[in-house]
Amino acid sequence: MKQLLIILALFTLIGCKEKTTPVNEVAVVEDRFRENYRPQYHFTPPTMWMNDPNGLLHHNGTYHLFYQHYPEDIVWGPMHWGHATSKDLISWEHKPIALYPDELGLIFSGSAVMDIHNTSGLGTKDNPPMVAIFTYHLMEGEKAGRKDFQTQGIAYSLDEGETWKKYSGNPVISNDGNIKDFRDPKVFWDENTEQWVMTLVAGDHAKFYSSPNLKNWTLMSEFGKNIGAHGGVWECPDLFPLQVEGRDETKWVLIISINPGAPNGGSGTQYFVGDFDGTTFTTNQKEIKWLDYGTDNYAGVTFNGLPDTERTFIGWMSNWNYARDTPTEAWRSAMTLSRKLTLHKNKTNGFYLKNYPVTSLDEYAYATVVHDTMKNGMSLSSKNYNEQRLNFKIPGKLDDFKLNFTNINKESVKFGYNSNTKSYYLDRRKSGVVSFEPSFGDKVHTVPAIIDSPTDVAYSIVMDASSIEVFIDGGSTVFTDQIFPTTPFTALTFTSENATIANLKVSKIKRIWK
Ligand code: FRU
């Protein structure tokens, strides 16, 4: 189809020189990224496989997103770092691949920093380097049954991330052969101690290192062996300070992805709220806290290079249970929306994080329709709910309700609250194509209601071609799930004995691909 359009476009250009707007050329441009299930306003790679976000960095007004990428197949393979940039965290421009595997191994997950004082000496004071810190994974070592096949390396760019060179002294942290899972370095500049701090995961715990120059690293401390969730291996850590909303108090948050062991199955992201004194992370937290109760938000981390008040997170919108099996053909998997993280405290929950779409998404909303109220049994219809955002409130006390999106093929995705179990649920069991892997559609995803205001709760539901993200109470409870309906959802029905929906705003969201 695409070839045909290109030929037509060329024909039009050659044959009708006097025309200023070649109609078919426009058609070629608009055909880009319209494949079945391709998200229209979430980041996806141009083609082939993607997993974790890497090296999230804001510099000179540009957001950089690097990502785990295998450019030769739509399943996981020898890892590269793909690259994309954005001005607003919603629209992304694809860039050339940043990092390729080399003789030290594949390029696994990690982070990026701007070394503005040129502490590494890899650039100059006038042109400081952008430095990527990543894990080398040596397949030969793994195949030989050794345990020392994951080490840490660095690479640098002197042209804003366009081209990269590996550091000649790699690896910067070698592996003594005792820990096979030894990866995913997240580095930041600690203003208090004036040194680089790296958080690394090692199977069942995190390790903290310090460095004056990003090349020489010293182990400072460890955290987590006997605390938190341990249903699987710890991956993709992130450590950062956050001020508690409305209080003169700053805490440190440690994000840890874990696979398997998530509350609704497979891969998930837990977090700890505590203190970091420059050397050691400590917490009084007893309970396990999860960032998301859907099954498709994994390996997420936050941007370096932003003020602490703009702590912004992106996750990989998939799950290792079925990531390789989802029904796409040209590319595989998307990132979550960029989300702002805020820290809160109340009597019931102690400290807890909210994660909510960045406000720049609001600028992509158009054709907004407002419905003042929606009562029991009422239905709305639309050409395509899979390109829309719905914001609304349920006034009064929280009570049973259900929202059901359906299509002409009788597929459905349901979101609601159950007062018997005091929990929210998202049910994608009949949402379309689900049978590609048994755990995708085997159960309803649930979460106990964790809210700081049990009345007048606000909701935001964001649906793209193959995902649904539900933000409850400004993001104190979140579900992120992939869905693969065979045709878009076109009807929405509300059911509740006692509750009504107020001020429902339904907006279309502009597509980001040019
Ligand atoms: C998380 C992860 C990381 C690793 C990368 C490999 O999804 O397993 O721990 O660095 O993926 O692609």
Side-chain angles (χ1 to χ4, degrees), residues 411-442:
E411 294 157 354
S412 73
V413 60
K414 303 182 184 84
F415 162 66
Y417 178 71
N418 178 335
S419 62
N420 280 333
T421 55
K422 289 203 169 44
S423 59
Y424 287 102
Y425 60 88
L426 187 64
D427 184 355
R428 68 173 175 191
R429 290 175 302 168
K430 299 200 168 98
S431 58
V433 182
V434 296
S435 59
F436 47 85
E437 202 280 335
S439 71
F440 185 83
D442 66 346

Side-chain angles (χ1 to χ4, degrees), residues 242-358:
L242 261 190
Q243 186 177 342
V244 186
E245 292 288 303
R247 288 172 190 251
D248 187 17
E249 184 180 12
T250 296
K251 301 295 284 183
W252 284 75
V253 177
L254 176 64
I255 288 182
I256 299 282
S257 281
I258 170 173
N259 178 55
N264 283 303
S267 322
T269 305
Q270 62 174 326
Y271 65 91
F272 302 91
V273 182
D275 297 296
F276 180 66
D277 63 4
T279 307
T280 311
F281 178 81
T282 49
T283 181
N284 299 325
Q285 187 177 312
K286 298 279 179 288
E287 67 283 28
I288 296 167
K289 295 182 191 269
W290 299 99
L291 199 76
D292 201 309
Y293 280 81
T295 51
D296 295 296
N297 180 355
Y298 192 60
V301 285
T302 65
F303 278 85
N304 277 330
L306 284 174
D308 290 336
T309 48
E310 294 294 323
R311 193 44 71 176
T312 308
F313 169 98
I314 295 180
W316 171 45
M317 202 148 54
S318 198
N319 189 309
W320 283 116
N321 270 357
Y322 45 72
R324 306 161 189 87
D325 311 306
T326 53
T328 62
E329 283 165 12
W331 89 101
R332 201 168 255 145
S333 76
M335 294 299 178
T336 67
L337 285 170
S338 300
R339 301 175 184 181
K340 186 172 172 184
L341 296 186
T342 50
L343 184 60
H344 304 257
K345 189 181 186 183
N346 70 14
K347 279 215 178 94
T348 348
N349 306 305
F351 295 106
Y352 61 99
L353 282 179
K354 288 190 180 187
N355 66 101
Y356 198 71
V358 291

Side-chain angles (χ1 to χ4, degrees), residues 37-39 43-52 67-70 73-76 316-318 322-335 436 482 484:
Y37 299 132
R38 173 79 87 165
F43 179 76
T44 46
T47 56
M48 302 301 170
W49 170 268
M50 174 178 81
N51 56 292
D52 315 355
Y67 54 91
Q68 289 286 277
H69 185 39
Y70 182 40
D73 204 344
I74 54 162
V75 290
W76 190 93
W316 171 45
M317 202 148 54
S318 198
Y322 45 72
R324 306 161 189 87
D325 311 306
T326 53
T328 62
E329 283 165 12
W331 89 101
R332 201 168 255 145
S333 76
M335 294 299 178
F436 47 85
Q482 291 184 86
F484 300 96

